[in-house]
Amino acid sequence: MAISRLLEKFLFTVKQFRLMSGRDFFINRYLQLGWEFRGIKARQAIRINQTNAKGKSILERLLSVGVKLEKIPFLDSGYWVSGSKVSVGATAEYLLGLYSVQEAAAQIPPALFSDLKGKTVLDACAAPGGKTVEVSDLMGNTGVVVALDVSKKRLAALANHLERCHFSNAVVYNMDARSASKLNLKFDKILLDAPCSGNFASDPFWFKRRTLKDVERNSALQKELLCEAEKCLVPGGELIYSTCSLEPEENELNMDWAVKNLNLQIKEINCYGEKGLTDVFGQTLDPSVAYCRRMWPGLTQGFFVCKLTKRGG
Amino acid sequence: MKQLLLFSSQFGAKIVLNPELVLERSKRYYLVSERLKKLARGNFYAAGLYLGKIKNGVFFPSFNLLNMLVDVAENKVILDKKAAWLFICGRDVFRTGIMRVYGARGKGAFTLVLNDFGECLGFGRIIHSLDDEDARVVIQNVLDVGDFLRREK
């Protein structure tokens, strides 16, 4: 009896998995959201570390070793690698911290903060540290960045990244960002590049790996992270929320939830991407969700970004 | 802290660090600002500028520290492009690859290794006098920036 019940449960789980996962399932979802699937692979990109590269002809130096670059029109310091005789992650210029290898869309969130110099900034889910280094760079190595990550293993990469780029304004903790308020600090700016389900443009096995269950689990975690971030933010402070997921549960629906349940409001941003969706599978969202930016895979990988501020500033 | 200063003196460099702003965590040393010091609670993973670590009683410098030494060190060599590339690949330095020498030239001395832009690629130990025209390999690679790739493997 118990075995047959277990078998029944197992078959139900398999059925659910088949119903709520797979390439066709997700492609159909994207179609419902207004985007027709195209198989796209994210292009390799780099970001010049302006603090370190000041006065150095970095583009000419890279060209001389066979790295051809193409300016990314919507980024200040971003370049696509249009051809290279060498690995861009192994040149002398990379090892000297003059640039970082960072996908185009991933360069957008830190650039959305206003006036970072001298501020106290929280990078809530920081490892492996690409955005932490970008924030430090935009701050001109002034102020303080508190970088947290729950994985100690990944923090080694973050520390290496900071050392390679010679930034000295960060303090790093092995800590779950859901406990960030235990630091007893208030932050002027918070970057919440939340753990997410990812997208097919940066993971060729994405459709085989992911189910709607994963998306729902990540969405719940992201809500917890948003709650904690709001607690740690000064009134009027800025919170940049981003994911590399295409699923609205991790993006627009979370932002709709945040403006309705937390002391946060969405600010209009001017960056690459389409307006956030305000009609998701028949559900109408707060109109301010349109201020978010959704990047369907194309010029960039799949990405979502939103700027929020804490009310009362 | 003592070992850090001893290490620096091997290059003929004197660096002045405020001991109150040097934090130690798991035998790793960090230079922090006053502001950062207030935020770096006891259990931090890393803070400020990583200076180096002590392992089995030996001091291992960071590249931040080597960079701090560039302006104050007496012992430096500048390599041509090919020798610089080979050096960051972990190779020793051939006499023919050296464009300029500052400070020590004799066997046994430690020297910073720079590229032709004056950027620090690491350091090495002179194993044959830099004036010895018969010697081929003259500087043994001790540490180079290619280590960033090796340590992640």
PDB file of all heavy atoms in Angstrom, chain A residues 67-82:
ATOM      1  N   VAL A  67      43.594  41.613 -29.866  1.00  0.00           N
ATOM      2  CA  VAL A  67      42.214  41.640 -29.362  1.00  0.00           C
ATOM      3  C   VAL A  67      41.464  42.779 -30.055  1.00  0.00           C
ATOM      4  O   VAL A  67      41.821  43.952 -29.908  1.00  0.00           O
ATOM      5  CB  VAL A  67      42.173  41.845 -27.823  1.00  0.00           C
ATOM      6  CG1 VAL A  67      40.732  41.885 -27.328  1.00  0.00           C
ATOM      7  CG2 VAL A  67      42.958  40.765 -27.106  1.00  0.00           C
ATOM      8  N   LYS A  68      40.460  42.405 -30.846  1.00  0.00           N
ATOM      9  CA  LYS A  68      39.674  43.424 -31.553  1.00  0.00           C
ATOM     10  C   LYS A  68      38.419  43.722 -30.750  1.00  0.00           C
ATOM     11  O   LYS A  68      37.689  42.796 -30.369  1.00  0.00           O
ATOM     12  CB  LYS A  68      39.277  42.924 -32.938  1.00  0.00           C
ATOM     13  CG  LYS A  68      40.425  42.950 -33.911  1.00  0.00           C
ATOM     14  CD  LYS A  68      39.948  42.512 -35.281  1.00  0.00           C
ATOM     15  CE  LYS A  68      41.150  42.249 -36.172  1.00  0.00           C
ATOM     16  NZ  LYS A  68      40.792  41.434 -37.319  1.00  0.00           N
ATOM     17  N   LEU A  69      38.166  44.988 -30.506  1.00  0.00           N
ATOM     18  CA  LEU A  69      37.031  45.376 -29.663  1.00  0.00           C
ATOM     19  C   LEU A  69      36.048  46.239 -30.429  1.00  0.00           C
ATOM     20  O   LEU A  69      36.419  46.913 -31.392  1.00  0.00           O
ATOM     21  CB  LEU A  69      37.550  46.157 -28.444  1.00  0.00           C
ATOM     22  CG  LEU A  69      38.494  45.406 -27.506  1.00  0.00           C
ATOM     23  CD1 LEU A  69      39.069  46.350 -26.462  1.00  0.00           C
ATOM     24  CD2 LEU A  69      37.768  44.254 -26.822  1.00  0.00           C
ATOM     25  N   GLU A  70      34.819  46.195 -29.973  1.00  0.00           N
ATOM     26  CA  GLU A  70      33.765  47.008 -30.585  1.00  0.00           C
ATOM     27  C   GLU A  70      33.018  47.693 -29.438  1.00  0.00           C
ATOM     28  O   GLU A  70      32.560  47.008 -28.507  1.00  0.00           O
ATOM     29  CB  GLU A  70      32.825  46.046 -31.329  1.00  0.00           C
ATOM     30  CG  GLU A  70      31.711  46.665 -32.060  1.00  0.00           C
ATOM     31  CD  GLU A  70      30.759  45.573 -32.624  1.00  0.00           C
ATOM     32  OE1 GLU A  70      31.186  44.406 -32.807  1.00  0.00           O
ATOM     33  OE2 GLU A  70      29.588  45.913 -32.828  1.00  0.00           O
ATOM     34  N   LYS A  71      32.914  49.008 -29.491  1.00  0.00           N
ATOM     35  CA  LYS A  71      32.291  49.743 -28.383  1.00  0.00           C
ATOM     36  C   LYS A  71      30.830  49.323 -28.220  1.00  0.00           C
ATOM     37  O   LYS A  71      30.097  49.209 -29.201  1.00  0.00           O
ATOM     38  CB  LYS A  71      32.375  51.242 -28.680  1.00  0.00           C
ATOM     39  CG  LYS A  71      31.767  52.145 -27.623  1.00  0.00           C
ATOM     40  CD  LYS A  71      32.738  52.412 -26.488  1.00  0.00           C
ATOM     41  CE  LYS A  71      32.142  53.327 -25.440  1.00  0.00           C
ATOM     42  NZ  LYS A  71      31.068  52.770 -24.643  1.00  0.00           N
ATOM     43  N   ILE A  72      30.412  49.109 -26.998  1.00  0.00           N
ATOM     44  CA  ILE A  72      28.994  48.806 -26.744  1.00  0.00           C
ATOM     45  C   ILE A  72      28.277  50.149 -26.601  1.00  0.00           C
ATOM     46  O   ILE A  72      28.598  50.928 -25.702  1.00  0.00           O
ATOM     47  CB  ILE A  72      28.833  47.954 -25.459  1.00  0.00           C
ATOM     48  CG1 ILE A  72      29.633  46.644 -25.601  1.00  0.00           C
ATOM     49  CG2 ILE A  72      27.367  47.652 -25.197  1.00  0.00           C
ATOM     50  CD1 ILE A  72      29.651  45.763 -24.361  1.00  0.00           C
ATOM     51  N   PRO A  73      27.351  50.443 -27.511  1.00  0.00           N
ATOM     52  CA  PRO A  73      26.803  51.811 -27.562  1.00  0.00           C
ATOM     53  C   PRO A  73      26.079  52.256 -26.292  1.00  0.00           C
ATOM     54  O   PRO A  73      26.027  53.438 -26.004  1.00  0.00           O
ATOM     55  CB  PRO A  73      25.850  51.774 -28.766  1.00  0.00           C
ATOM     56  CG  PRO A  73      25.624  50.335 -29.060  1.00  0.00           C
ATOM     57  CD  PRO A  73      26.816  49.591 -28.579  1.00  0.00           C
ATOM     58  N   PHE A  74      25.551  51.300 -25.521  1.00  0.00           N
ATOM     59  CA  PHE A  74      24.767  51.706 -24.351  1.00  0.00           C
ATOM     60  C   PHE A  74      25.555  51.623 -23.037  1.00  0.00           C
ATOM     61  O   PHE A  74      24.972  51.692 -21.966  1.00  0.00           O
ATOM     62  CB  PHE A  74      23.463  50.889 -24.273  1.00  0.00           C
ATOM     63  CG  PHE A  74      23.665  49.400 -24.392  1.00  0.00           C
ATOM     64  CD1 PHE A  74      23.942  48.635 -23.276  1.00  0.00           C
ATOM     65  CD2 PHE A  74      23.578  48.773 -25.623  1.00  0.00           C
ATOM     66  CE1 PHE A  74      24.127  47.266 -23.378  1.00  0.00           C
ATOM     67  CE2 PHE A  74      23.765  47.395 -25.738  1.00  0.00           C
ATOM     68  CZ  PHE A  74      24.035  46.645 -24.610  1.00  0.00           C
ATOM     69  N   LEU A  75      26.875  51.456 -23.129  1.00  0.00           N
ATOM     70  CA  LEU A  75      27.689  51.406 -21.909  1.00  0.00           C
ATOM     71  C   LEU A  75      28.865  52.377 -22.021  1.00  0.00           C
ATOM     72  O   LEU A  75      29.415  52.566 -23.100  1.00  0.00           O
ATOM     73  CB  LEU A  75      28.250  49.987 -21.702  1.00  0.00           C
ATOM     74  CG  LEU A  75      27.239  48.873 -21.385  1.00  0.00           C
ATOM     75  CD1 LEU A  75      27.929  47.515 -21.433  1.00  0.00           C
ATOM     76  CD2 LEU A  75      26.614  49.091 -20.012  1.00  0.00           C
ATOM     77  N   ASP A  76      29.254  52.973 -20.902  1.00  0.00           N
ATOM     78  CA  ASP A  76      30.360  53.932 -20.925  1.00  0.00           C
ATOM     79  C   ASP A  76      31.718  53.254 -21.104  1.00  0.00           C
ATOM     80  O   ASP A  76      32.577  53.758 -21.801  1.00  0.00           O
ATOM     81  CB  ASP A  76      30.390  54.749 -19.618  1.00  0.00           C
ATOM     82  CG  ASP A  76      29.277  55.779 -19.582  1.00  0.00           C
ATOM     83  OD1 ASP A  76      28.744  56.102 -20.673  1.00  0.00           O
ATOM     84  OD2 ASP A  76      28.930  56.249 -18.486  1.00  0.00           O
ATOM     85  N   SER A  77      31.908  52.115 -20.438  1.00  0.00           N
ATOM     86  CA  SER A  77      33.244  51.505 -20.436  1.00  0.00           C
ATOM     87  C   SER A  77      33.230  50.089 -20.988  1.00  0.00           C
ATOM     88  O   SER A  77      34.168  49.326 -20.762  1.00  0.00           O
ATOM     89  CB  SER A  77      33.784  51.462 -18.994  1.00  0.00           C
ATOM     90  OG  SER A  77      33.726  52.725 -18.417  1.00  0.00           O
ATOM     91  N   GLY A  78      32.159  49.722 -21.680  1.00  0.00           N
ATOM     92  CA  GLY A  78      31.998  48.347 -22.147  1.00  0.00           C
ATOM     93  C   GLY A  78      32.350  48.161 -23.610  1.00  0.00           C
ATOM     94  O   GLY A  78      32.056  49.033 -24.448  1.00  0.00           O
ATOM     95  N   TYR A  79      32.973  47.033 -23.927  1.00  0.00           N
ATOM     96  CA  TYR A  79      33.342  46.699 -25.300  1.00  0.00           C
ATOM     97  C   TYR A  79      33.045  45.235 -25.563  1.00  0.00           C
ATOM     98  O   TYR A  79      33.311  44.386 -24.708  1.00  0.00           O
ATOM     99  CB  TYR A  79      34.850  46.931 -25.531  1.00  0.00           C
ATOM    100  CG  TYR A  79      35.240  48.388 -25.474  1.00  0.00           C
ATOM    101  CD1 TYR A  79      35.451  49.013 -24.242  1.00  0.00           C
ATOM    102  CD2 TYR A  79      35.374  49.140 -26.632  1.00  0.00           C
ATOM    103  CE1 TYR A  79      35.782  50.348 -24.175  1.00  0.00           C
ATOM    104  CE2 TYR A  79      35.715  50.481 -26.576  1.00  0.00           C
ATOM    105  CZ  TYR A  79      35.914  51.084 -25.343  1.00  0.00           C
ATOM    106  OH  TYR A  79      36.231  52.409 -25.284  1.00  0.00           O
ATOM    107  N   TRP A  80      32.511  44.957 -26.743  1.00  0.00           N
ATOM    108  CA  TRP A  80      32.370  43.564 -27.152  1.00  0.00           C
ATOM    109  C   TRP A  80      33.696  43.103 -27.736  1.00  0.00           C
ATOM    110  O   TRP A  80      34.392  43.885 -28.404  1.00  0.00           O
ATOM    111  CB  TRP A  80      31.294  43.423 -28.233  1.00  0.00           C
ATOM    112  CG  TRP A  80      29.903  43.375 -27.685  1.00  0.00           C
ATOM    113  CD1 TRP A  80      29.419  42.525 -26.736  1.00  0.00           C
ATOM    114  CD2 TRP A  80      28.800  44.204 -28.073  1.00  0.00           C
ATOM    115  NE1 TRP A  80      28.082  42.776 -26.508  1.00  0.00           N
ATOM    116  CE2 TRP A  80      27.681  43.792 -27.313  1.00  0.00           C
ATOM    117  CE3 TRP A  80      28.637  45.238 -28.987  1.00  0.00           C
ATOM    118  CZ2 TRP A  80      26.434  44.391 -27.433  1.00  0.00           C
ATOM    119  CZ3 TRP A  80      27.406  45.827 -29.120  1.00  0.00           C
ATOM    120  CH2 TRP A  80      26.310  45.404 -28.340  1.00  0.00           C
ATOM    121  N   VAL A  81      34.018  41.840 -27.524  1.00  0.00           N
ATOM    122  CA  VAL A  81      35.218  41.269 -28.133  1.00  0.00           C
ATOM    123  C   VAL A  81      34.793  40.743 -29.492  1.00  0.00           C
ATOM    124  O   VAL A  81      34.070  39.755 -29.582  1.00  0.00           O
ATOM    125  CB  VAL A  81      35.789  40.132 -27.244  1.00  0.00           C
ATOM    126  CG1 VAL A  81      37.039  39.540 -27.885  1.00  0.00           C
ATOM    127  CG2 VAL A  81      36.087  40.646 -25.836  1.00  0.00           C
ATOM    128  N   SER A  82      35.221  41.434 -30.564  1.00  0.00           N
ATOM    129  CA  SER A  82      34.753  41.005 -31.891  1.00  0.00           C
ATOM    130  C   SER A  82      35.718  40.011 -32.527  1.00  0.00           C
ATOM    131  O   SER A  82      35.414  39.424 -33.554  1.00  0.00           O
ATOM    132  CB  SER A  82      34.519  42.217 -32.792  1.00  0.00           C
ATOM    133  OG  SER A  82      35.605  43.083 -32.755  1.00  0.00           O
TER     134      SER A  82
END
